[in-house]
Amino acid sequence: MADTSTGSADAHKDEAAPTTERGETASKLVDRFAIWSGVAGLIPLPVVDVLAVGGLQVQLLRRLSQIYDVEFSENRGKAVIAALAGSMIPATSGMGAASALKAVPILGALASGFVMPVLSAGATFAIGKAFVQHFESGGTLLDFNPPDYREFVKAQKEMWDSRRTKKTESSTAASS
């Protein structure tokens, strides 16, 4: 493993791209799960979409644990993801609000259909990148401390948002 210390994320927050082969595999996995979470955000039923995204995030954590040979416990995984999501309150409360909008006929479903996939994908991307960074530094599920990763998660979410903005701009320019 790259570094066996389990220091805070602040010491490593500039490391956006993993440097190991496992890190690259994990990064591709995070991208794939972020896309699937965006698709799950399109589920038209309130609460079911949030549950689907949560299930995908737990599965992402399970797969990342396998890549890094870290012992995985589903209960511990759920607790760690919930704690990390709790440290990202604006994004997670936005997902809940977007999901609840689906209960409003027509306009609510349309508005939610645009917002929920983006929030779901962004949150999954940020959570995945935080765990890749933590596992790359030699951490486990038992020593993961969500407050240490708050700034790292914000930076990853901003990176996801900028990727989405660049893709939108390039597709608009191509169609002109």
Side-chain angles (χ1 to χ4, degrees):
M1 296 190 187
D3 181 304
T4 57
S5 70
T6 57
S8 76
D10 293 338
H12 302 289
K13 73 177 156 185
D14 292 331
E15 295 179 10
T19 56
T20 65
E21 186 177 323
R22 282 196 303 189
E24 290 178 25
T25 301
S27 187
K28 289 177 185 175
L29 183 72
V30 169
D31 289 343
R32 188 169 50 242
F33 270 84
I35 291 168
W36 280 108
S37 290
V39 171
L42 291 171
I43 295 173
L45 302 172
V47 181
V48 174
D49 55 351
V50 174
L51 292 174
V53 171
L56 284 166
Q57 290 172 346
V58 170
Q59 183 63 20
L60 169 63
L61 184 52
R62 177 190 322 267
R63 299 276 303 274
L64 288 173
S65 296
Q66 290 171 345
I67 290 171
Y68 287 98
D69 297 322
V70 172
E71 186 177 334
F72 179 81
S73 159
E74 188 163 339
N75 289 336
R76 180 72 182 156
K78 286 178 184 178
V80 170
I81 288 174
L84 184 57
S87 72
M88 309 176 358
I89 292 294
T92 55
S93 61
M95 284 175 56
S99 179
L101 268 176
K102 291 179 179 179
V104 177
I106 303 171
L107 291 179
L110 284 173
S112 179
F114 288 109
V115 174
M116 186 65 182
V118 174
L119 290 175
S120 300
T124 301
F125 180 82
I127 288 170
K129 290 295 185 175
F131 279 104
V132 168
Q133 199 271 339
H134 180 66
F135 291 157
E136 282 280 320
S137 68
T140 67
L141 288 177
L142 296 175
D143 64 5
F144 185 79
N145 187 14
D148 289 347
Y149 287 85
R150 190 171 296 149
E151 291 302 315
F152 181 81
V153 166
K154 272 188 200 174
Q156 294 304 310
K157 187 156 180 348
E158 288 170 7
M159 188 170 75
W160 175 265
D161 290 342
S162 71
R163 286 173 59 182
R164 184 176 52 93
T165 303
K166 287 178 187 174
K167 286 180 182 176
T168 304
E169 290 172 356
S170 66
S171 65
T172 304
S175 64
S176 296

